[in-house]
Amino acid sequence: MVPLLLVLLLALLLFGLGFAVKLLWWVAVIVLVVWLVGFVARSTGASGTRSRWYRW
């Protein structure tokens, strides 16, 4: 009975880990797209040069 519970627990853990990793990949792709759009669509400053759209 205990080995069966351990196997089921391991399967549940691996399924949850796989879901979290897949979710993190989607978050990374969304952040990359937002960064690229902000990099391309940044506004021009008062002197006519392109300014940084981020703060750091």
Side-chain angles (χ1 to χ4, degrees):
M1 185 71 178
V2 173
L4 179 63
L5 288 175
L6 289 175
V7 169
L8 289 175
L9 183 63
L10 182 64
L12 184 64
L13 181 70
L14 291 176
F15 174 75
L17 183 65
F19 181 75
V21 169
K22 188 173 183 177
L23 180 68
L24 287 176
W25 271 109
W26 279 111
V27 169
V29 168
I30 290 169
V31 167
L32 178 65
V33 168
V34 168
W35 181 77
L36 287 175
V37 167
F39 185 76
V40 172
R42 60 187 175 184
S43 63
T44 57
S47 62
T49 59
R50 289 189 179 260
S51 62
R52 295 184 301 179
W53 65 278
Y54 50 88
R55 290 189 168 264
W56 61 84

